[in-house]
Amino acid sequence: MLKLENTCAYYGQIQALHDISIEVKKGEIVCLIGANGAGKTTTINTITGFLRSCSGTISYLDQNIRGMSMSAIVKKGISCVPEGRRIFPKMTVMENLELGAYVHKKDYSGTKNILEKIWEMFPVLYERKKQLGGTLSGGEQQMLAIARAMMSRPKLILMDEPSMGLAPIIVEQTFKSILKIKEEGTTILLAEQNAQMAFEISDRAYLLQTGNVVMSGPPSELACDPQVQQTYLGG
Ligand SMILES: Nc1ncnc2c1ncn2[C@@H]1O[C@H](COP(=O)(O)OP(=O)(O)OP(=O)(O)O)[C@@H](O)[C@H]1O
Ligand SMILES: [Mg+2]
């Protein structure tokens, strides 16, 4: 579904990604693990078109999307749950969700259907649909960020550290929701520092270090590597 080949990304003169190659097949959850500054967010922002200073090929459903506008990429079926959630704090839950469906703004019945799925998956968002986004708890804001990404009815969702800053029990609930989204047919690329949790739900994993892919394979294989165990799985 998604293939990055020899992708590089830059911030001015600084190169943040070095010839990375990553593949995500339809129906998979693929995780990108790595420490602070490894290049996880840069990879996600390069795919969405937010970071335009890049080279190499980014193909999605056999079409090169590198250089396309962000809105064109969303229309093609890729959406993003950004790092730090980035919900709109002064808008209600409902308004945040409506913005997620902006690319299909005239398709009222499609939007109604996806909203029904979202209310079923996250009942607390239904209860709080008139509440301002900024007044939700961290866990509820994460649910809202995921739900907003679902509103454009994507084929592929890019999630950037959905566990960040959440209590362990909320992290578990969040990962359960991610699995449910996969079961309903959406493919997921998940950037995570929480390698333990990411490995539990992923089909394949890539390890990023200083902008390079240094290891890839099934999570069970990466989890056996002594360096991965020591650095990312707490020994
Ligand atoms: N806007 C920017 N300008 C300059 N350098 C940047 C910018 N954003 C990121 N970088 C650098 O690019 C590298 C990769 O950063 P990135 O944010 O992709 O890492 P990350 O893996 O997402 O880390 P974290 O786990 O902390 O979110 C880092 O060295 C970072 O300092
Ligand atoms: Mg990041």
Side-chain angles (χ1 to χ4, degrees):
M1 179 171 261
L2 179 78
K3 201 170 189 180
L4 274 66
E5 284 176 292
N6 302 317
T7 303
C8 299
Y10 306 84
Y11 295 105
Q13 303 287 315
I14 300 167
Q15 186 168 0
L17 295 181
H18 302 266
D19 286 308
I20 65 162
S21 294
I22 287 172
E23 201 177 346
V24 183
K25 295 181 191 137
K26 189 169 184 293
E28 282 188 320
I29 297 181
V30 172
C31 68
L32 277 181
I33 63 159
N36 289 122
K40 303 181 295 298
T41 299
T42 305
T43 304
I44 299 239
N45 288 347
T46 300
I47 300 166
T48 60
F50 184 65
L51 182 59
R52 302 189 73 79
S53 177
C54 55
S55 62
T57 310
I58 305 174
S59 56
Y60 166 70
L61 299 175
D62 294 326
Q63 186 181 13
N64 191 3
I65 57 167
R66 185 169 69 77
M68 278 187 189
S69 70
M70 292 184 77
S71 59
I73 291 172
V74 176
K75 276 187 192 143
K76 288 202 169 292
I78 299 181
S79 71
C80 179
V81 181
E83 184 177 69
R85 316 188 245 280
R86 304 282 179 123
I87 56 129
F88 297 99
K90 294 198 171 147
M91 290 183 168
T92 63
V93 165
M94 191 65 193
E95 286 164 344
N96 270 275
L97 291 173
E98 281 168 352
L99 278 176
Y102 189 76
V103 289
H104 301 301
K105 58 181 181 285
K106 291 193 179 136
D107 179 4
Y108 301 112
S109 72
T111 300
K112 193 167 166 269
N113 289 343
I114 187 68
L115 253 182
E116 271 163 21
K117 268 195 188 165
I118 284 169
W119 299 147
E120 199 181 305
M121 188 177 283
F122 303 112
V124 70
L125 294 182
Y126 180 72
E127 284 162 25
R128 291 166 190 262
K129 64 183 175 181
K130 292 186 184 154
Q131 194 170 318
L132 293 184
T135 64
L136 298 178
S137 72
E140 289 162 353
Q141 289 191 12
Q142 188 61 63
M143 285 178 210
L144 179 56
I146 293 173
R148 183 182 57 186
M150 290 168 67
M151 286 296 286
S152 63
R153 287 173 275 147
K155 297 185 180 80
L156 170 68
I157 302 188
L158 314 172
M159 297 194 183
D160 196 351
E161 305 228 31
S163 75
M164 191 190 267
L166 301 180
I169 186 153
I170 308 293
V171 172
E172 235 170 77
Q173 283 170 12
T174 305
F175 276 71
K176 274 190 190 147
S177 313
I178 297 172
L179 261 183
K180 182 122 201 292
I181 294 168
K182 173 198 162 155
E183 280 159 14
E184 298 206 341
T186 309
T187 305
I188 294 161
L189 177 63
L190 171 69
E192 259 298 342
Q193 274 194 53
N194 187 339
Q196 185 100 44
M197 290 296 289
F199 282 176
E200 276 180 29
I201 64 163
S202 297
D203 299 289
R204 288 184 310 105
Y206 289 85
L207 171 60
L208 275 177
Q209 271 174 7
T210 55
N212 295 277
V213 171
V214 294
M215 216 180 278
S216 64
S220 54
E221 213 171 87
L222 267 73
C224 289
D225 181 88
Q227 191 214 340
V228 172
Q229 282 178 5
Q230 192 61 38
T231 316
Y232 303 98
L233 298 172

